[in-house]
Amino acid sequence: MTEVSQGRPFGQIDLHLHSTASDGTLAPHAIVERAAAIGLQTIAITDHDSIGGVAEAQATGKTLGVEILTGVELSADAPVGDCHILGYHVRVDDQVFTTWLETRRTARIERGQEIVRRVNAELRRRGSGTVTQLWWDDVAKRANIAEGGAVGRPHVADALVAIGAVASRDDAFATLLGNGMAGDVNYDRVKPNEVIDTIRRAGGVAVLAHPTYFPDFERQLPSLIEAGLGGLECVYGDYPPHQIQQLCKVAIAHGLVITGGSDFHGPGLKAGSGEIGVPAVTADLLEPLLARRSTISR
Ligand code: AMP
Ligand code: FE
Ligand code: FE
Ligand code: ZN
């Protein structure tokens, strides 16, 4: 196998990455530069509810020789809890699809404003008089809403860091934004069936992201597969080798393709593995994944 300058073998990919189009801290071009620097062959930018980073990534990818697969990460609301579904090879010029994504981002804005209200109330309740209040405009700016950015709790976390209420994104999730806390606000989320169908109608293939984060996921798989799920993200940021192996067995048993990615959100952040290209994902997974892309039409 050919070795690149940094000692990384050719033929590696990362199919789960976040840019400034959602809650990542690197611009799409900077992600591609980082991928090129470690010799990745193919990457997918999978922003939450947005394909806004794809065009810039593709332009940089062309220059640096990194292949960009179109991608997106969508949240779905199942009776047992939330699941995240990745969509690959979606058509970026599909108007119905892009309008659907825009509606999701609008729902995120309304929910973001509610998070700010609730977090401010909680900060007041805690009575630390030295803490300034959180401003929605600041959160909106951090999320780049004016240019179509998808706002999420991480942007609220960054605004909380800026006013000195918490020390870091992780600290914000640990004290104010995590599950069941003041800033854990639900929004009108859609069901897994609709999410999978939306991806397939845009020509894509739907993959269950970080499967173990979905409560009792193995029991949920048959209904997701019936809805058109095509793959399972078996290689993931913080999964150790034995867990990856176990998930690969589950994927094979259900006839799902195996995919993988880091869920990198930016340098110094603990989301996913915390580094692009980690853990290693081999490029031989690409062909079976793309073979699953949908040919159903609208
Ligand atoms: P949201 O889409 O607004 O619900 O926010 C979810 C995002 O927050 C995830 O995609 C992660 O990037 C980030 N996140 C979730 N939990 C944590 C945590 N405990 N610490 C830091 N970031 C987190
Ligand atoms: Fe995220
Ligand atoms: Fe996710
Ligand atoms: Zn993600």
Side-chain angles (χ1 to χ4, degrees):
M1 212 178 254
T2 324
E3 297 281 318
V4 292
S5 55
Q6 272 80 3
R8 204 168 262 256
F10 246 114
Q12 285 186 9
I13 62 178
D14 188 335
L15 301 183
H16 193 157
L17 299 162
H18 293 268
S19 80
T20 45
S22 66
D23 57 1
T25 57
L26 291 185
H29 73 89
I31 294 177
V32 180
E33 283 159 12
R34 211 171 169 98
I38 59 166
L40 295 188
Q41 173 195 307
T42 305
I43 62 167
I45 308 277
T46 51
D47 278 305
H48 301 282
D49 295 328
S50 173
I51 48 169
V54 172
E56 182 183 313
Q58 281 175 336
T60 311
K62 224 173 209 172
T63 315
L64 300 180
V66 179
E67 184 190 24
I68 313 295
L69 182 63
T70 57
V72 69
E73 182 172 18
L74 307 171
S75 309
D77 184 18
V80 289
D82 283 358
C83 66
H84 288 185
I85 296 173
L86 296 156
Y88 294 113
H89 200 269
V90 283
R91 279 190 297 267
V92 293
D93 57 354
D94 185 313
Q95 289 261 319
V96 178
F97 179 55
T98 52
T99 303
W100 188 91
L101 291 176
E102 212 176 315
T103 308
R104 303 314 307 150
R105 293 198 297 272
T106 304
R108 279 180 170 274
I109 291 174
E110 285 156 14
R111 174 234 199 189
Q113 291 166 337
E114 180 62 18
I115 293 175
V116 167
R117 279 191 287 272
R118 291 197 197 180
V119 167
N120 276 332
E122 179 62 15
L123 290 175
R124 276 196 299 276
R125 198 188 63 78
R126 290 183 190 180
S128 39
T130 52
V131 173
T132 1
Q133 82 161 338
L134 201 56
W135 296 100
W136 165 250
D137 283 356
D138 183 34
V139 176
K141 210 152 117 208
R142 289 171 189 282
N144 206 7
I145 280 176
E147 288 175 54
V151 66
R153 283 177 285 170
H155 302 109
V156 179
D158 292 346
L160 281 164
V161 174
I163 62 168
V166 296
S168 65
R169 266 193 188 189
D170 290 326
D171 189 22
F173 273 90
T175 57
L176 284 160
L177 303 176
N179 292 347
M181 298 176 192
D184 177 25
V185 177
N186 250 327
Y187 57 117
D188 159 41
R189 269 186 267 204
V190 287
K191 304 290 169 215
N193 286 18
E194 182 183 337
V195 166
I196 293 169
D197 198 52
T198 300
I199 290 167
R200 296 189 76 232
R201 284 186 189 282
V205 49
V207 171
L208 181 63
H210 39 69
T212 61
Y213 292 20
F214 187 27
D216 207 5
F217 87 94
E218 275 196 71
R219 206 186 279 223
Q220 320 302 325
L221 276 183
S223 73
L224 297 181
I225 290 167
E226 193 168 332
L229 189 79
L232 202 63
E233 189 180 49
C234 301
V235 191
Y236 176 72
D238 58 5
Y239 287 171
H242 74 268
Q243 190 159 31
I244 293 171
Q245 250 179 8
Q246 171 59 26
L247 286 168
C248 287
K249 280 186 195 159
V250 174
I252 292 163
H254 285 88
L256 294 167
V257 297
I258 295 163
T259 76
S262 62
D263 206 5
F264 175 69
H265 279 67
L269 297 175
K270 285 190 203 143
S273 69
E275 190 46 87
I276 185 168
V278 178
V281 183
T282 52
D284 57 347
L285 299 181
L286 275 176
E287 205 180 296
L289 173 67
L290 294 180
R292 286 292 178 101
R293 64 187 187 261
S294 163
T295 51
I296 57 169
S297 54
R298 297 201 174 281

